[in-house]
Amino acid sequence: MNACTMPAMCGEGNGSLPSCAPLSIPYVPFQETGSKRYDQREALQNGTLFPGLDLPFHLKAEPGKIANGPMAELQALEFVLVELGEYLDTHQDDTEAFQLYQKYAALEEEGRERYEAMYGPLQQVSAANGTNWAQWLSDPWPWNYKGKE
C-alpha cells in the first residue's frame, strides 16, 4: 500500500506515512484532502489555514493585538492565497479549494486596488498603472505609513 492510498490513521495533525519508511530518508507526508480549515480570523491568528498545521513552535498573536485596517485586510487576503495555493500544489483536483482560491484572489485584487487608490502603489509594477514613476518613489512607503491605519 503506498502513501497515497493509505487511509488516514493518525488524525488531523498528521499526514500519511508508509509503514516501512527507510531510515535516514526524509519523507514529507501529504496533507489529506478535505482537511479541516479555520475561519478567516482564526487562520490569521494561528498563522495557518489548516488546524493540522497549527504547530506548537509558532508564536501566536493575541486576538486583540491583530491590526485592523486596509493593510491588515490585504495581508490577510494574501495569507489565505498563499495557504490555499500551497494546498492546491498537492491537491489539484480539489475544486472547492480552487473556487475559494479564485474568490480570495478577486477579493485581494479589489483590496489592493482600494489600498493603492488611498495610499499609492504597493509594488513597482503598480506604478505602471499610475500617471508617472514618481508615484512609486513618493513617501510614505506601504510599510511605514503612519496615517489612519
Side-chain angles (χ1 to χ4, degrees), residues 69-95:
M71 179 59 87
E73 177 185 328
L74 191 56
Q75 288 172 331
L77 289 167
E78 290 169 350
F79 166 78
V80 170
L81 287 172
V82 168
E83 288 282 304
L84 282 170
E86 289 176 355
Y87 174 80
L88 285 165
D89 283 346
T90 57
H91 298 79
Q92 300 92 353
D93 297 330
D94 189 335
T95 56

Side-chain angles (χ1 to χ4, degrees), residues 19-110:
S19 60
C20 301
L23 294 176
S24 301
I25 303 283
Y27 180 83
V28 178
F30 288 98
Q31 186 173 356
E32 299 298 324
T33 300
S35 298
K36 294 178 186 172
R37 296 181 185 137
Y38 284 129
D39 66 33
Q40 296 170 4
R41 190 88 172 147
E42 286 179 305
L44 190 58
Q45 290 170 1
N46 291 309
T48 180
L49 184 59
F50 301 101
L53 299 177
D54 187 3
L55 304 174
F57 54 80
H58 289 98
L59 297 175
K60 296 179 185 178
E62 294 178 34
K65 293 187 178 180
I66 294 178
N68 291 313
M71 179 59 87
E73 177 185 328
L74 191 56
Q75 288 172 331
L77 289 167
E78 290 169 350
F79 166 78
V80 170
L81 287 172
V82 168
E83 288 282 304
L84 282 170
E86 289 176 355
Y87 174 80
L88 285 165
D89 283 346
T90 57
H91 298 79
Q92 300 92 353
D93 297 330
D94 189 335
T95 56
E96 180 186 359
F98 184 60
Q99 289 169 350
L100 280 172
Y101 188 89
Q102 291 173 312
K103 173 185 170 184
Y104 285 110
L107 289 171
E108 188 278 338
E109 183 178 357
E110 291 171 16

Side-chain angles (χ1 to χ4, degrees), residues 110-121:
E110 291 171 16
R112 185 174 14 86
E113 288 172 0
R114 198 170 40 252
Y115 182 92
E116 289 181 345
M118 292 167 48
Y119 304 113

Side-chain angles (χ1 to χ4, degrees), residues 1-11 14-22 27-33 91:
M1 182 179 286
N2 68 35
C4 295
T5 59
M6 286 187 67
M9 295 179 265
C10 300
N14 300 285
S16 54
L17 184 67
S19 60
C20 301
Y27 180 83
V28 178
F30 288 98
Q31 186 173 356
E32 299 298 324
T33 300
H91 298 79

